[in-house]
């Protein structure tokens, strides 16, 4: 009887631990992916969880297996933004087989609504596009994904929100779901991906979420 109770207690503790744990992505020494991201998309009754992103007719992020989009970075890129870009490239290639997405800095471009960028952070280009940024509203790990013109803007709060913006983008575009290390779902061989009118705001109810850097095969947590 006591043995059965102990087994049930251990199972309950493991289930509870898995339900509240969130990770990100690292790379192993062989170059393979070890992906860790939110275990599930839990919709709480508090916070903000708006995933509005309808397709835009006639416009594409990926068309016939190719993309014209570039990654746009702030002139000075911190470790959190660098992590977000790393995750984006990894998952985007996994879904589309495209590994040629180039990166430019906002200091090297002038705002053009017809230009095609995946913009990371509240950089000068985002400001020129007329986007507003309220870190108090987004809290530590909240995020927004917005479409302005042909460009997509991934913006995070003061913490790791921009990394979670990548995961939300991947879930919306490629049905990305993470279950456990090296156990995930994501659409593959995607040849055509319509541009979406992103108007996403996702603010968690918890104050902080844990994200591993993934740099140099490290599992150290990103802290600000």
């Amino acid at each position: 009887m006591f043995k059965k109770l102990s087994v049930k207690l251990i199972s309950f503790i493991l289930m509870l631990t898995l339900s509240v744990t969130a990770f990100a992505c690292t790379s192993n020494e062989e170059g393979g992916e070890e992906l860790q991201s939110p275990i599930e998309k839990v919709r709480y009754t508090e916070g903000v969880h708006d995933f509005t992103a309808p397709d835009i007719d006639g416009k594409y992020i990926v068309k016939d297996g190719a993309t014209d989009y570039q990654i746009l970075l702030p002139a000075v890129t911190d470790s959190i933004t660098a992590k977000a870009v790393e995750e984006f490239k990894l998952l985007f290639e996994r879904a589309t087989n495209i590994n040629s997405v180039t990166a430019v800095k906002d200091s090297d471009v002038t705002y053009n609504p017809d230009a095609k960028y995946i913009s990371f952070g509240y950089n000068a280009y985002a400001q020129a596009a007329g986007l507003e940024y309220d870190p108090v509203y987004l809290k530590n790990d909240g995020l927004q994904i917005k479409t302005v013109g042909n460009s997509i803007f991934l913006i995070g709060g003061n913490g790791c929100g921009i990394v979670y913006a990548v995961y939300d983008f991947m879930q919306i575009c490629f049905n990305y779901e993470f279950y456990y290390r090296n156990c995930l779902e994501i659409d593959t061989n995607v040849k055509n991906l319509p541009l979406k009118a992103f108007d996403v705001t996702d603010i968690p109810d918890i104050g902080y979420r844990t994200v591993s850097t993934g740099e140099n095969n490290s599992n150290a947590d990103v802290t600000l």
Side-chain angles (χ1 to χ4, degrees), residues 191-202:
K191 301 300 182 184
N192 295 287
L193 175 66
L195 175 62
K196 298 178 182 295
F198 286 102
D199 190 12
V200 172
T201 300
D202 187 12

Side-chain angles (χ1 to χ4, degrees), residues 208-221:
Y208 296 88
R209 296 189 276 189
T210 300
V211 178
S212 300
T213 64
E215 298 172 358
N216 300 317
N217 301 317
S218 170
N219 289 320
D221 292 338

Side-chain angles (χ1 to χ4, degrees), residues 170-185:
M170 294 298 166
Q171 185 188 53
I172 292 168
C173 292
F174 303 117
N175 298 307
Y176 168 68
E177 292 287 351
F178 174 85
Y179 302 106
Y180 192 66
R181 178 173 295 191
N182 290 327
C183 182
L184 62 89
E185 290 184 6

